[in-house]
Amino acid sequence: MGLLNIFGFGSKGESAKEFMAKGAVVIDVRTYEEFASGHIKGSKNIPLQVINNKVADIKKLNQPVIVCCRSGMRSAQAASILKAQGVEVMNGGGWERLERELG
């Protein structure tokens, strides 16, 4: 596994649209303040700082997850955390780019 894959930037396999077609939920891992200034409609806000405490809640959703943030770095960390806990997850990168991709 390469360094890019560890951080969620390697070959993504499925696109975000394909993940959404499987019923994925978008989780924005930016701070509450950043999220309030703009976000993808319907996304959930779980800041990276608290994601470890929310893994059980995320698993209860029983859905694939796309994580996003401002640039893709925090979402890469979140994807790594969730993947290690057995969540089907992809790093969607920056929320504005992801919004355009899903649009």
Side-chain angles (χ1 to χ4, degrees):
M1 176 182 294
L3 186 60
L4 291 177
N5 287 332
I6 291 171
F7 291 111
F9 289 117
S11 60
K12 290 186 179 177
E14 291 181 274
S15 72
K17 280 189 175 183
E18 290 169 325
F19 246 57
M20 291 301 286
K22 294 183 346 184
V25 61
V26 176
I27 297 178
D28 190 318
V29 299
R30 294 176 298 149
T31 65
Y32 298 119
E33 295 80 15
E34 287 175 295
F35 185 80
S37 72
H39 57 271
I40 295 173
K41 185 178 179 182
S43 63
K44 298 183 182 304
N45 183 214
I46 304 175
L48 178 62
Q49 297 88 334
V50 299
I51 203 140
N52 276 316
N53 299 328
K54 299 291 184 176
V55 172
D57 294 333
I58 293 168
K59 284 183 166 186
K60 285 180 191 172
L61 296 172
N62 202 28
Q63 295 173 269
V65 172
I66 301 173
V67 287
C68 65
C69 63
R70 187 180 60 77
S71 68
M73 292 306 291
R74 285 176 283 182
S75 57
Q77 292 175 45
S80 179
I81 290 165
L82 294 174
K83 191 174 289 188
Q85 295 295 320
V87 175
E88 183 180 1
V89 61
M90 76 172 286
N91 178 8
W95 78 271
E96 290 174 313
R97 187 204 56 78
L98 179 59
E99 185 175 50
R100 286 190 302 273
E101 182 181 337
L102 295 176

